[in-house]
DNA sequence: TTGCTATTTGTCAATATAGCCAAATAGCAA
DNA sequence: TTGCTATTTGGCTATATTGACAAATAGCAA
């Protein structure tokens, strides 16, 4: 793999890596419904707000979400909504895998 | 997040996590063109065959690839080709991020 | 059998990630 | 100002990942 290609795949992998955590995936799904503040997301996920804040900063670094401060809350929203279109394909992988598991019984 | 929902998001995240590595992403892209054996992929990526083998086992555990032994080679192929459709969206995230970087200069 | 090739698995060190608590920061309200 | 809420950041430990080398396994060919 040449350096150029490597850099390109690293950039793409960073996006997928950011999505590769259950809480972050849940957050993205939630933001697909509309903007949410950190507080709300922390309650929905059921984790410490500092933990959610760090997850959001990972999503933001990956370019997946934007934030906007209003009052003393910070609202996050999806930067690129097409992300959500992929989830049905991911789900088909999960389902095919589950089916393969059943087949082997 | 209820236990049920948590388990569902963990399953989805596992798929995305498997894609969240440059070498594995490259492998998936390569397999989108057709089946390849470990040997070929190791040469293309430029890494030790044992390293590629482990990457492939991660992709396989995630349900993203299948393998078939023929002769003394093992050929891998994509299990669920829709994965590739997502890459254009990932690319748009990467590009938007790059543009945002330029804007801030 | 022996030798050769392809692949996987075990081990290990370096590195990265996750999540909690505590502390720092910022805005609003009294 | 003080206090309250929302959020981020620092520090920490536990855990997971990566990738190389060596060793084990399997199939083919002589």
């Amino acid at each position: 793999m040449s350096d150029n290609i490597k850099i390109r795949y690293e950039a793409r992998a960073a996006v997928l890596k950011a999505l590769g955590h259950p809480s972050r995936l849940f957050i993205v799904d939630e933001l697909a419904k509309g903007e949410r503040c950190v507080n709300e997301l922390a309650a929905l996920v059921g984790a410490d707000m500092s933990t959610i804040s760090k997850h959001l900063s990972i999503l933001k670094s990956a370019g997946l979400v934007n934030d906007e401060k209003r009052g003393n809350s910070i609202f996050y929203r999806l930067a690129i909504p097409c992300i959500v279109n992929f989830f049905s394909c991911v789900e088909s992988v999960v389902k095919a895998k589950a089916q393969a598991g059943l087949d082997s019984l």
Side-chain angles (χ1 to χ4, degrees), chain A:
Chain A
M1 221 178 349
S2 75
D3 280 0
N4 264 354
I5 293 188
K6 192 176 175 192
I7 287 171
R8 192 176 322 171
Y9 277 97
E10 278 169 356
R12 292 174 185 171
V15 174
L16 290 155
K17 193 174 178 183
L19 291 170
H21 186 285
S23 298
R24 292 196 292 266
L25 212 43
F26 178 89
I27 288 171
V28 168
D29 245 3
E30 193 59 32
L31 294 183
K33 303 178 195 165
E35 63 177 21
R36 299 278 185 275
C37 66
V38 187
N39 206 12
E40 293 172 312
L41 292 169
L44 288 167
V45 173
D48 196 275
M49 192 157 39
S50 72
T51 299
I52 299 301
S53 175
K54 283 182 184 170
H55 282 313
L56 287 166
S57 103
I58 289 169
L59 290 171
K60 190 178 169 187
S61 298
L64 286 162
V65 304
N66 292 323
D67 60 342
E68 184 191 353
K69 187 160 198 170
R70 292 206 302 276
N72 57 354
S73 291
I74 301 182
F75 291 87
Y76 282 82
R77 68 181 98 82
L78 282 194
I80 312 248
C82 65
I83 288 295
V84 177
N85 299 337
F86 186 45
F87 291 171
S88 63
C89 179
V90 171
E91 193 59 27
S92 72
V93 175
V94 170
K95 282 192 183 141
K97 187 171 150 57
Q99 189 58 47
L102 292 176
D103 290 348
S104 68
L105 295 180

